[in-house]
Amino acid sequence: MRSFFALLAWLFPRPFRERFGAELVERAVADVEHARREGFPSGFLELVATSTDLIRAAVMERIRPTRILGSHRQHEDEGLGMMTREWLRELHQAGRTLARSPGFLLAAVGTLALALGVNAGIFSVVDAVLVRPLPFDEPDRLVTIAASAPGSDLPEEFGVSAEFLIQYREEADQLDGVALFNAFTATLRYRDRTERVLMSWPSRSLFEVLGVQPELGRLPTPEDGDGVVVLSHAAWVGWFGGDPGVLGQSPFVIDGPRTVIGVMPPEFSFPSSGPLLWVPREEFDAEGIQPGRFGLSLVGRMAPGADHESLARQLGALARRLPERFGGSPRYAALIEQHVPVVRSLEEEMLGPVAGALWVLMGAVLVVFVIACTNVANLFSVRASARGRELAVRRVLGAGRARLVRSLMSEAAVVSVLAGALSLGLAAVVLPIFLRMAPDTLPRLAEVHLSGTTLIFTAAATACAALLCGLVPAVGASKVRLGRLRDGGRGSTPGRHWRRDGLVIAQTALALVLLIGSGLLVRSFAELRSVDPGYDTEDIFTFQFAPEQSHLQDGPSWARFHMGFLERLEALPGVRSAGIVENVPLDEGLRGVRWNTEETVSDPDAAKTVQVTFTGGDYFGTMGIEVLLGRALDERDLVNHGNVVVSQTTADLLWPGLNPIGRRLQSADVEGWHTVVGVVEDVLQYSFRDEPEPMIYLPLAGPTPDAWALPSPGYVVATREAATIAPRIRELVHEVAPEAPMYRTYTMAGLADASMARLSFTMLTLGMAAGLALLLGAIGLYGVLSYVVAQRSQEIGVRMALGARAGQVRRMVVGQGTRVVTLGVIPGLVAAALATRALGSLLFGVGTVDVATFVGTTLAMLLVGVVASYLPARRASSVDPVRSMRAT
Amino acid sequence: MGSSFDGRLSILEFHVLVALASGALYGYAITEAVEEESGGTLTPRAGSLYRVIARLMAWGFVGEVDPPGSEDQHPGLPRRWYALTPRGRSLLSEESRRLARAVALADAKLRPGRP
């Protein structure tokens, strides 16, 4: 790093450099070292910032030099400065020289521009998503609070219950505030538009805890009760046309009209799934709390000076006193004994899932950048040796070494600056495409753009490229051997082979790391694709609509409406079958409800949590969910209330080893007794990575005639025309309910793709980076061997004149190429074994050191090495011995 | 050429002079003092800081001095120490008086109850 800053110091005018150079470098190194102790991004960012500052100061110093007292070179520094003028002349000259070899210029600029472009793109994403602080007041003090109870039958981590919130709010002095939050979909209706949208029902104090202010209107107060709503910026623009008169309007939200009191600014989104609106709720009252209803998510603001450990200690101690204050069953008291609070920074909670993938991508494109620089440095190196004779002449004519270095550096600078400018153009075109590809779940996606920080980053990267690509070959080439003049400008340069070989070895190693990384992701993707979710993903279309008709009042009327619509839907040409479900898998979540079987009903603590949903029509047949035992729900169950179908896991959970058909179960949250009439195979509701959750399917009409109404269920349609059927269904919806728009229209294939978006996105991006690295590596190897062959054409000619056959010559060159690649493979494999750990949670069904992937990609790498060596080898074997020797 | 002093100090220049007012300092110590005394609003990085030092030296407000006593025992490069020249000291006190007058004026105008 010291040498890097020493190079940057060279950008300063000489008098300044001589006087302050050493101190500057010392100071810059110390700053970066200091920041590096804080961890990876800070060190890296400080490096970028310090380099940028040095470059900026150097440029300013060149434009307006400081006349330092006592400097013996003052007279040279008049006006723009002699040095600057010389540099400008050099740059001009460099431009002219480069213009004379357009092939070289194109290759060098193209390579660097590609690498700088992908870096600018990924950096903008990393900067917006991970580096910029969250848009809350003092985000470092924000934490999420959950619970764990090692040794209990509860999940590893779960949400707390209301009495925790009350206790924390009243007693925890390490917290400045604590609020409840959640996210769910419910009905939003305004004028003639009705949809189920994502919303949140947080504590009223949520906004205060996060330290945010609305851009319009005000925050909720205790006087508001729960009849008000705060809109997101997106809802304000999308639903109310950005009208400032929105305050005081009363759209229908969830179950009735609520008054809009405020609009949040565009960057505010909480939780990160991005709800459209927030319905502030009354704070919980200690009266009438039923302890032990877990599942609430909390966000808290730590008091100044508090840290995660001390807070967790305090929360743990407070929780111990809960049974004493709120009562509860013996099971609850036992659970509290096992309870350990889980305190995590909000940033980790919000960004943690994507941070790993993004840093991997940033690392990958930096590797591509290094490979590109090596390639261009190599090109310059080759070019400089080819110009050895010209340089020797210039040296003899009195050009100093520094002058020669400057001349070669100028060419690298011209190439890099052109590439830097081109890369920004490239990034401006590619970034939007990239963002469209990115998964919707990527938080803060809307904030990504080519920002000033990205420009600075690209400028710094361009400067690094200029130094790397210019200085390495320039310093080497300036050690001009004057002997080159005497021996006619020919001769091999064996001493420098190791450097070029070294570059190829490094490129091979780096490219292999990326290849193996993307190989592992490709395998994970294939594994995930081959998971059987329990339902078909092909040829299924799903949608919802929410009719508003006065005769639709109770469960049976809604059920009749839906069944009538279902009949018309099934009559559509091309529709094989259709069904209804409350929550379409991969689209919406389920509710967990605690159930007791007839056998365990006397013991409430023996209840098991099972998710519920309800279905109608031919749901199981349409989705391809197999009925394993008994029968599916059908029209009989619309009249005979109380029948249910359970999934295999539910059957195993509630009646292990027994036949569940005809058995009965009961829940405090669902009226009446329910009889199992069928068992179906398990389905994956949330993601292909999960284990299946236990599920119970209730019939559409509800357990009793007046139990519930289901105004807006999900429809599933089996049809070969899943991708194109939407307009015809929309017409049908318009016929039966002209007031209701159709929404949440997906194909199951589309939902499956979306559920794997994080993996497929990382896989594609890393794959592209690896492909680019492989291509650049191959070009690098090809370039080096071509050069070596050209240098050795005379020797090859002699060998062939002495009887060597073309095949032998080809083998010799290919052998040399393969040897270098093999040398690169070894460090590449070691580095990959360490680096693939970073992929961690992205992988599925494959280890970080997967032998098949490692071997396969290594063979592919070697093959590419052989192919890249073969072309120069063919050229070598076609050397005409007579011509090559006569040229001596 | 280096523009000659035009009677105005930038904020960073001013704070560097303030940092040196209590005695000679070396480069890193100047940054620390500037950062602390500006309440963290100024965090000059290497390039910017040394340009300011160079400029203040060129204007004759700051000069290089010998290390005080046996202070300079740290490993690595010998540190260079900088101190205010008499001219720098008088400029700083003049500038402080000017700023104090400006602050007093602003305070008086902002005070409530005035027309």
PDB file of all heavy atoms in Angstrom, chain A residues 524-549:
ATOM      1  N   SER A 524     -26.163 -25.347  -7.070  1.00  0.00           N
ATOM      2  CA  SER A 524     -27.215 -25.090  -6.086  1.00  0.00           C
ATOM      3  C   SER A 524     -28.525 -24.825  -6.792  1.00  0.00           C
ATOM      4  O   SER A 524     -29.588 -25.288  -6.376  1.00  0.00           O
ATOM      5  CB  SER A 524     -26.877 -23.867  -5.238  1.00  0.00           C
ATOM      6  OG  SER A 524     -25.666 -24.048  -4.597  1.00  0.00           O
ATOM      7  N   PHE A 525     -28.447 -24.049  -7.865  1.00  0.00           N
ATOM      8  CA  PHE A 525     -29.651 -23.687  -8.600  1.00  0.00           C
ATOM      9  C   PHE A 525     -30.303 -24.946  -9.170  1.00  0.00           C
ATOM     10  O   PHE A 525     -31.521 -25.130  -9.071  1.00  0.00           O
ATOM     11  CB  PHE A 525     -29.288 -22.715  -9.721  1.00  0.00           C
ATOM     12  CG  PHE A 525     -30.474 -22.096 -10.380  1.00  0.00           C
ATOM     13  CD1 PHE A 525     -31.287 -21.222  -9.683  1.00  0.00           C
ATOM     14  CD2 PHE A 525     -30.776 -22.377 -11.704  1.00  0.00           C
ATOM     15  CE1 PHE A 525     -32.390 -20.646 -10.284  1.00  0.00           C
ATOM     16  CE2 PHE A 525     -31.878 -21.803 -12.312  1.00  0.00           C
ATOM     17  CZ  PHE A 525     -32.689 -20.930 -11.606  1.00  0.00           C
ATOM     18  N   ALA A 526     -29.479 -25.822  -9.739  1.00  0.00           N
ATOM     19  CA  ALA A 526     -30.010 -27.060 -10.301  1.00  0.00           C
ATOM     20  C   ALA A 526     -30.653 -27.901  -9.196  1.00  0.00           C
ATOM     21  O   ALA A 526     -31.739 -28.454  -9.377  1.00  0.00           O
ATOM     22  CB  ALA A 526     -28.900 -27.833 -10.997  1.00  0.00           C
ATOM     23  N   GLU A 527     -30.000 -27.958  -8.030  1.00  0.00           N
ATOM     24  CA  GLU A 527     -30.548 -28.720  -6.911  1.00  0.00           C
ATOM     25  C   GLU A 527     -31.902 -28.154  -6.483  1.00  0.00           C
ATOM     26  O   GLU A 527     -32.851 -28.881  -6.241  1.00  0.00           O
ATOM     27  CB  GLU A 527     -29.601 -28.666  -5.702  1.00  0.00           C
ATOM     28  CG  GLU A 527     -28.297 -29.422  -5.894  1.00  0.00           C
ATOM     29  CD  GLU A 527     -28.489 -30.924  -5.747  1.00  0.00           C
ATOM     30  OE1 GLU A 527     -29.367 -31.322  -4.956  1.00  0.00           O
ATOM     31  OE2 GLU A 527     -27.783 -31.678  -6.436  1.00  0.00           O
ATOM     32  N   LEU A 528     -31.942 -26.820  -6.391  1.00  0.00           N
ATOM     33  CA  LEU A 528     -33.165 -26.159  -5.949  1.00  0.00           C
ATOM     34  C   LEU A 528     -34.282 -26.394  -6.963  1.00  0.00           C
ATOM     35  O   LEU A 528     -35.436 -26.600  -6.612  1.00  0.00           O
ATOM     36  CB  LEU A 528     -32.882 -24.662  -5.810  1.00  0.00           C
ATOM     37  CG  LEU A 528     -33.676 -23.884  -4.787  1.00  0.00           C
ATOM     38  CD1 LEU A 528     -33.640 -24.538  -3.441  1.00  0.00           C
ATOM     39  CD2 LEU A 528     -33.139 -22.467  -4.685  1.00  0.00           C
ATOM     40  N   ARG A 529     -33.923 -26.346  -8.234  1.00  0.00           N
ATOM     41  CA  ARG A 529     -34.879 -26.584  -9.312  1.00  0.00           C
ATOM     42  C   ARG A 529     -35.449 -28.001  -9.243  1.00  0.00           C
ATOM     43  O   ARG A 529     -36.569 -28.240  -9.672  1.00  0.00           O
ATOM     44  CB  ARG A 529     -34.201 -26.393 -10.668  1.00  0.00           C
ATOM     45  CG  ARG A 529     -34.143 -24.956 -11.097  1.00  0.00           C
ATOM     46  CD  ARG A 529     -35.378 -24.655 -11.880  1.00  0.00           C
ATOM     47  NE  ARG A 529     -35.565 -23.223 -12.019  1.00  0.00           N
ATOM     48  CZ  ARG A 529     -36.750 -22.653 -12.213  1.00  0.00           C
ATOM     49  NH1 ARG A 529     -37.821 -23.385 -12.268  1.00  0.00           N
ATOM     50  NH2 ARG A 529     -36.855 -21.369 -12.339  1.00  0.00           N
ATOM     51  N   SER A 530     -34.640 -28.922  -8.747  1.00  0.00           N
ATOM     52  CA  SER A 530     -35.104 -30.305  -8.771  1.00  0.00           C
ATOM     53  C   SER A 530     -35.884 -30.666  -7.502  1.00  0.00           C
ATOM     54  O   SER A 530     -36.356 -31.783  -7.363  1.00  0.00           O
ATOM     55  CB  SER A 530     -33.918 -31.253  -8.952  1.00  0.00           C
ATOM     56  OG  SER A 530     -33.114 -31.183  -7.808  1.00  0.00           O
ATOM     57  N   VAL A 531     -36.016 -29.684  -6.587  1.00  0.00           N
ATOM     58  CA  VAL A 531     -36.831 -29.934  -5.392  1.00  0.00           C
ATOM     59  C   VAL A 531     -38.288 -30.107  -5.815  1.00  0.00           C
ATOM     60  O   VAL A 531     -38.774 -29.373  -6.672  1.00  0.00           O
ATOM     61  CB  VAL A 531     -36.723 -28.732  -4.421  1.00  0.00           C
ATOM     62  CG1 VAL A 531     -37.817 -28.781  -3.377  1.00  0.00           C
ATOM     63  CG2 VAL A 531     -35.362 -28.720  -3.763  1.00  0.00           C
ATOM     64  N   ASP A 532     -38.976 -31.095  -5.223  1.00  0.00           N
ATOM     65  CA  ASP A 532     -40.394 -31.249  -5.515  1.00  0.00           C
ATOM     66  C   ASP A 532     -41.185 -30.477  -4.470  1.00  0.00           C
ATOM     67  O   ASP A 532     -41.236 -30.858  -3.311  1.00  0.00           O
ATOM     68  CB  ASP A 532     -40.779 -32.735  -5.473  1.00  0.00           C
ATOM     69  CG  ASP A 532     -42.278 -32.920  -5.623  1.00  0.00           C
ATOM     70  OD1 ASP A 532     -42.945 -31.946  -6.021  1.00  0.00           O
ATOM     71  OD2 ASP A 532     -42.770 -34.026  -5.342  1.00  0.00           O
ATOM     72  N   PRO A 533     -41.802 -29.352  -4.844  1.00  0.00           N
ATOM     73  CA  PRO A 533     -42.502 -28.538  -3.847  1.00  0.00           C
ATOM     74  C   PRO A 533     -43.846 -29.127  -3.459  1.00  0.00           C
ATOM     75  O   PRO A 533     -44.542 -28.581  -2.606  1.00  0.00           O
ATOM     76  CB  PRO A 533     -42.681 -27.199  -4.558  1.00  0.00           C
ATOM     77  CG  PRO A 533     -42.730 -27.533  -6.013  1.00  0.00           C
ATOM     78  CD  PRO A 533     -41.870 -28.754  -6.198  1.00  0.00           C
ATOM     79  N   GLY A 534     -44.257 -30.231  -4.093  1.00  0.00           N
ATOM     80  CA  GLY A 534     -45.562 -30.818  -3.770  1.00  0.00           C
ATOM     81  C   GLY A 534     -46.639 -30.381  -4.731  1.00  0.00           C
ATOM     82  O   GLY A 534     -47.739 -30.924  -4.725  1.00  0.00           O
ATOM     83  N   TYR A 535     -46.366 -29.350  -5.547  1.00  0.00           N
ATOM     84  CA  TYR A 535     -47.345 -28.897  -6.545  1.00  0.00           C
ATOM     85  C   TYR A 535     -46.602 -28.693  -7.861  1.00  0.00           C
ATOM     86  O   TYR A 535     -45.381 -28.627  -7.891  1.00  0.00           O
ATOM     87  CB  TYR A 535     -48.034 -27.602  -6.114  1.00  0.00           C
ATOM     88  CG  TYR A 535     -47.091 -26.589  -5.505  1.00  0.00           C
ATOM     89  CD1 TYR A 535     -46.289 -25.780  -6.299  1.00  0.00           C
ATOM     90  CD2 TYR A 535     -46.976 -26.456  -4.122  1.00  0.00           C
ATOM     91  CE1 TYR A 535     -45.412 -24.868  -5.735  1.00  0.00           C
ATOM     92  CE2 TYR A 535     -46.101 -25.553  -3.551  1.00  0.00           C
ATOM     93  CZ  TYR A 535     -45.328 -24.755  -4.365  1.00  0.00           C
ATOM     94  OH  TYR A 535     -44.456 -23.869  -3.818  1.00  0.00           O
ATOM     95  N   ASP A 536     -47.401 -28.574  -8.940  1.00  0.00           N
ATOM     96  CA  ASP A 536     -46.778 -28.316 -10.239  1.00  0.00           C
ATOM     97  C   ASP A 536     -46.453 -26.841 -10.351  1.00  0.00           C
ATOM     98  O   ASP A 536     -47.151 -26.003  -9.777  1.00  0.00           O
ATOM     99  CB  ASP A 536     -47.745 -28.686 -11.372  1.00  0.00           C
ATOM    100  CG  ASP A 536     -48.074 -30.169 -11.338  1.00  0.00           C
ATOM    101  OD1 ASP A 536     -47.260 -30.921 -10.771  1.00  0.00           O
ATOM    102  OD2 ASP A 536     -49.137 -30.551 -11.862  1.00  0.00           O
ATOM    103  N   THR A 537     -45.388 -26.521 -11.080  1.00  0.00           N
ATOM    104  CA  THR A 537     -45.130 -25.103 -11.326  1.00  0.00           C
ATOM    105  C   THR A 537     -45.398 -24.755 -12.793  1.00  0.00           C
ATOM    106  O   THR A 537     -45.469 -23.583 -13.141  1.00  0.00           O
ATOM    107  CB  THR A 537     -43.675 -24.723 -10.975  1.00  0.00           C
ATOM    108  OG1 THR A 537     -42.809 -25.618 -11.657  1.00  0.00           O
ATOM    109  CG2 THR A 537     -43.434 -24.820  -9.495  1.00  0.00           C
ATOM    110  N   GLU A 538     -45.536 -25.752 -13.638  1.00  0.00           N
ATOM    111  CA  GLU A 538     -45.796 -25.447 -15.049  1.00  0.00           C
ATOM    112  C   GLU A 538     -47.296 -25.398 -15.298  1.00  0.00           C
ATOM    113  O   GLU A 538     -48.080 -26.090 -14.651  1.00  0.00           O
ATOM    114  CB  GLU A 538     -45.165 -26.532 -15.945  1.00  0.00           C
ATOM    115  CG  GLU A 538     -43.638 -26.536 -15.913  1.00  0.00           C
ATOM    116  CD  GLU A 538     -43.041 -25.165 -16.223  1.00  0.00           C
ATOM    117  OE1 GLU A 538     -43.511 -24.502 -17.168  1.00  0.00           O
ATOM    118  OE2 GLU A 538     -42.116 -24.751 -15.490  1.00  0.00           O
ATOM    119  N   ASP A 539     -47.698 -24.586 -16.273  1.00  0.00           N
ATOM    120  CA  ASP A 539     -49.080 -24.556 -16.775  1.00  0.00           C
ATOM    121  C   ASP A 539     -50.101 -24.228 -15.691  1.00  0.00           C
ATOM    122  O   ASP A 539     -51.201 -24.775 -15.677  1.00  0.00           O
ATOM    123  CB  ASP A 539     -49.440 -25.903 -17.436  1.00  0.00           C
ATOM    124  CG  ASP A 539     -48.557 -26.195 -18.645  1.00  0.00           C
ATOM    125  OD1 ASP A 539     -48.029 -25.215 -19.214  1.00  0.00           O
ATOM    126  OD2 ASP A 539     -48.399 -27.365 -19.003  1.00  0.00           O
ATOM    127  N   ILE A 540     -49.743 -23.359 -14.766  1.00  0.00           N
ATOM    128  CA  ILE A 540     -50.728 -22.912 -13.775  1.00  0.00           C
ATOM    129  C   ILE A 540     -50.713 -21.390 -13.709  1.00  0.00           C
ATOM    130  O   ILE A 540     -49.644 -20.771 -13.628  1.00  0.00           O
ATOM    131  CB  ILE A 540     -50.451 -23.500 -12.380  1.00  0.00           C
ATOM    132  CG1 ILE A 540     -50.630 -25.021 -12.422  1.00  0.00           C
ATOM    133  CG2 ILE A 540     -51.384 -22.893 -11.330  1.00  0.00           C
ATOM    134  CD1 ILE A 540     -50.283 -25.717 -11.143  1.00  0.00           C
ATOM    135  N   PHE A 541     -51.915 -20.810 -13.766  1.00  0.00           N
ATOM    136  CA  PHE A 541     -52.059 -19.358 -13.686  1.00  0.00           C
ATOM    137  C   PHE A 541     -52.826 -19.035 -12.403  1.00  0.00           C
ATOM    138  O   PHE A 541     -53.754 -19.760 -12.045  1.00  0.00           O
ATOM    139  CB  PHE A 541     -52.833 -18.859 -14.912  1.00  0.00           C
ATOM    140  CG  PHE A 541     -53.148 -17.394 -14.878  1.00  0.00           C
ATOM    141  CD1 PHE A 541     -52.161 -16.459 -15.150  1.00  0.00           C
ATOM    142  CD2 PHE A 541     -54.429 -16.945 -14.572  1.00  0.00           C
ATOM    143  CE1 PHE A 541     -52.442 -15.098 -15.118  1.00  0.00           C
ATOM    144  CE2 PHE A 541     -54.709 -15.584 -14.524  1.00  0.00           C
ATOM    145  CZ  PHE A 541     -53.721 -14.670 -14.807  1.00  0.00           C
ATOM    146  N   THR A 542     -52.416 -17.990 -11.689  1.00  0.00           N
ATOM    147  CA  THR A 542     -53.143 -17.624 -10.472  1.00  0.00           C
ATOM    148  C   THR A 542     -53.495 -16.137 -10.493  1.00  0.00           C
ATOM    149  O   THR A 542     -52.784 -15.330 -11.094  1.00  0.00           O
ATOM    150  CB  THR A 542     -52.341 -17.889  -9.178  1.00  0.00           C
ATOM    151  OG1 THR A 542     -51.619 -16.706  -8.871  1.00  0.00           O
ATOM    152  CG2 THR A 542     -51.375 -19.035  -9.326  1.00  0.00           C
ATOM    153  N   PHE A 543     -54.597 -15.789  -9.840  1.00  0.00           N
ATOM    154  CA  PHE A 543     -54.992 -14.373  -9.761  1.00  0.00           C
ATOM    155  C   PHE A 543     -55.947 -14.201  -8.588  1.00  0.00           C
ATOM    156  O   PHE A 543     -56.388 -15.177  -7.970  1.00  0.00           O
ATOM    157  CB  PHE A 543     -55.678 -13.933 -11.061  1.00  0.00           C
ATOM    158  CG  PHE A 543     -56.987 -14.625 -11.316  1.00  0.00           C
ATOM    159  CD1 PHE A 543     -58.196 -14.044 -10.940  1.00  0.00           C
ATOM    160  CD2 PHE A 543     -57.010 -15.869 -11.922  1.00  0.00           C
ATOM    161  CE1 PHE A 543     -59.402 -14.694 -11.159  1.00  0.00           C
ATOM    162  CE2 PHE A 543     -58.218 -16.530 -12.134  1.00  0.00           C
ATOM    163  CZ  PHE A 543     -59.412 -15.953 -11.769  1.00  0.00           C
ATOM    164  N   GLN A 544     -56.264 -12.935  -8.287  1.00  0.00           N
ATOM    165  CA  GLN A 544     -57.265 -12.625  -7.271  1.00  0.00           C
ATOM    166  C   GLN A 544     -58.143 -11.508  -7.795  1.00  0.00           C
ATOM    167  O   GLN A 544     -57.740 -10.753  -8.677  1.00  0.00           O
ATOM    168  CB  GLN A 544     -56.596 -12.134  -5.975  1.00  0.00           C
ATOM    169  CG  GLN A 544     -55.753 -13.174  -5.287  1.00  0.00           C
ATOM    170  CD  GLN A 544     -55.205 -12.672  -3.965  1.00  0.00           C
ATOM    171  OE1 GLN A 544     -55.621 -11.636  -3.455  1.00  0.00           O
ATOM    172  NE2 GLN A 544     -54.279 -13.411  -3.397  1.00  0.00           N
ATOM    173  N   PHE A 545     -59.352 -11.408  -7.271  1.00  0.00           N
ATOM    174  CA  PHE A 545     -60.138 -10.192  -7.458  1.00  0.00           C
ATOM    175  C   PHE A 545     -61.072 -10.062  -6.266  1.00  0.00           C
ATOM    176  O   PHE A 545     -61.373 -11.051  -5.591  1.00  0.00           O
ATOM    177  CB  PHE A 545     -60.872 -10.185  -8.795  1.00  0.00           C
ATOM    178  CG  PHE A 545     -62.042 -11.125  -8.891  1.00  0.00           C
ATOM    179  CD1 PHE A 545     -63.342 -10.649  -8.829  1.00  0.00           C
ATOM    180  CD2 PHE A 545     -61.835 -12.482  -9.065  1.00  0.00           C
ATOM    181  CE1 PHE A 545     -64.423 -11.508  -8.930  1.00  0.00           C
ATOM    182  CE2 PHE A 545     -62.913 -13.359  -9.163  1.00  0.00           C
ATOM    183  CZ  PHE A 545     -64.206 -12.877  -9.105  1.00  0.00           C
ATOM    184  N   ALA A 546     -61.479  -8.837  -5.980  1.00  0.00           N
ATOM    185  CA  ALA A 546     -62.251  -8.590  -4.757  1.00  0.00           C
ATOM    186  C   ALA A 546     -63.568  -7.924  -5.109  1.00  0.00           C
ATOM    187  O   ALA A 546     -63.651  -6.711  -5.192  1.00  0.00           O
ATOM    188  CB  ALA A 546     -61.443  -7.707  -3.806  1.00  0.00           C
ATOM    189  N   PRO A 547     -64.632  -8.723  -5.350  1.00  0.00           N
ATOM    190  CA  PRO A 547     -65.918  -8.115  -5.719  1.00  0.00           C
ATOM    191  C   PRO A 547     -66.534  -7.362  -4.544  1.00  0.00           C
ATOM    192  O   PRO A 547     -66.304  -7.694  -3.388  1.00  0.00           O
ATOM    193  CB  PRO A 547     -66.770  -9.319  -6.120  1.00  0.00           C
ATOM    194  CG  PRO A 547     -66.105 -10.500  -5.524  1.00  0.00           C
ATOM    195  CD  PRO A 547     -64.681 -10.174  -5.289  1.00  0.00           C
ATOM    196  N   GLU A 548     -67.309  -6.341  -4.859  1.00  0.00           N
ATOM    197  CA  GLU A 548     -67.982  -5.519  -3.841  1.00  0.00           C
ATOM    198  C   GLU A 548     -69.456  -5.520  -4.182  1.00  0.00           C
ATOM    199  O   GLU A 548     -69.899  -4.683  -4.964  1.00  0.00           O
ATOM    200  CB  GLU A 548     -67.448  -4.080  -3.934  1.00  0.00           C
ATOM    201  CG  GLU A 548     -66.068  -3.897  -3.398  1.00  0.00           C
ATOM    202  CD  GLU A 548     -66.011  -4.186  -1.921  1.00  0.00           C
ATOM    203  OE1 GLU A 548     -66.983  -3.868  -1.210  1.00  0.00           O
ATOM    204  OE2 GLU A 548     -64.984  -4.763  -1.497  1.00  0.00           O
ATOM    205  N   GLN A 549     -70.215  -6.477  -3.703  1.00  0.00           N
ATOM    206  CA  GLN A 549     -71.637  -6.515  -4.053  1.00  0.00           C
ATOM    207  C   GLN A 549     -72.450  -6.694  -2.781  1.00  0.00           C
ATOM    208  O   GLN A 549     -72.071  -7.465  -1.903  1.00  0.00           O
ATOM    209  CB  GLN A 549     -71.886  -7.641  -5.060  1.00  0.00           C
ATOM    210  CG  GLN A 549     -71.210  -7.337  -6.411  1.00  0.00           C
ATOM    211  CD  GLN A 549     -71.160  -8.522  -7.342  1.00  0.00           C
ATOM    212  OE1 GLN A 549     -71.762  -9.561  -7.088  1.00  0.00           O
ATOM    213  NE2 GLN A 549     -70.417  -8.352  -8.436  1.00  0.00           N
TER     214      GLN A 549
END
